[in-house]
Amino acid sequence: MDTLKQELKENIIECLNLEEFTPADIADDDPLFGDGLGLDSIDALELIVMMDKEYGIKLVDPGKSKEIFQSVEVLAQYIAEHRKK
């Protein structure tokens, strides 16, 4: 699971062009939106595309994105349970 979390942090930084961050700057339980990384709804769409491209996960219920994108910890757990790649 730690490898997946590290990979996710790297993918999030690359996908969203968060050049001011390194994976070490993102704690597993940091909120991705709001006070955490400060991501917005456009970033959520980018993360949905990244999940499909990198892990073969199509988010059929966009309403679940708020729950899934709480933190790297929650996102990694969801990907581990649903990945097809």
Side-chain angles (χ1 to χ4, degrees):
M1 185 66 90
D2 288 339
T3 302
L4 177 57
K5 289 177 193 173
Q6 179 67 22
E7 182 183 299
L8 268 174
K9 292 173 186 178
E10 292 169 1
N11 284 340
I12 289 169
I13 289 168
E14 182 180 331
C15 176
L16 303 178
N17 295 316
L18 301 174
E19 297 169 354
E20 67 274 20
F21 289 98
T22 67
D25 294 330
I26 305 170
D28 293 348
D29 60 349
D30 278 349
L32 297 180
F33 293 86
D35 292 337
L37 290 180
L39 304 184
D40 59 25
S41 59
I42 301 297
D43 297 323
L45 294 175
E46 293 287 336
L47 290 177
I48 290 170
V49 171
M50 184 265 301
M51 285 176 53
D52 183 19
K53 182 178 168 188
E54 298 294 327
Y55 306 103
I57 297 173
K58 293 189 184 296
L59 204 55
V60 292
D61 181 4
K64 289 193 86 172
S65 62
K66 188 172 184 177
E67 175 186 331
I68 295 166
F69 297 145
Q70 286 179 32
S71 66
V72 168
E73 178 80 36
V74 174
L75 183 56
Q77 184 68 36
Y78 184 84
I79 289 172
E81 292 173 2
H82 296 87
R83 72 186 308 172
K84 297 182 174 140
K85 291 185 180 178

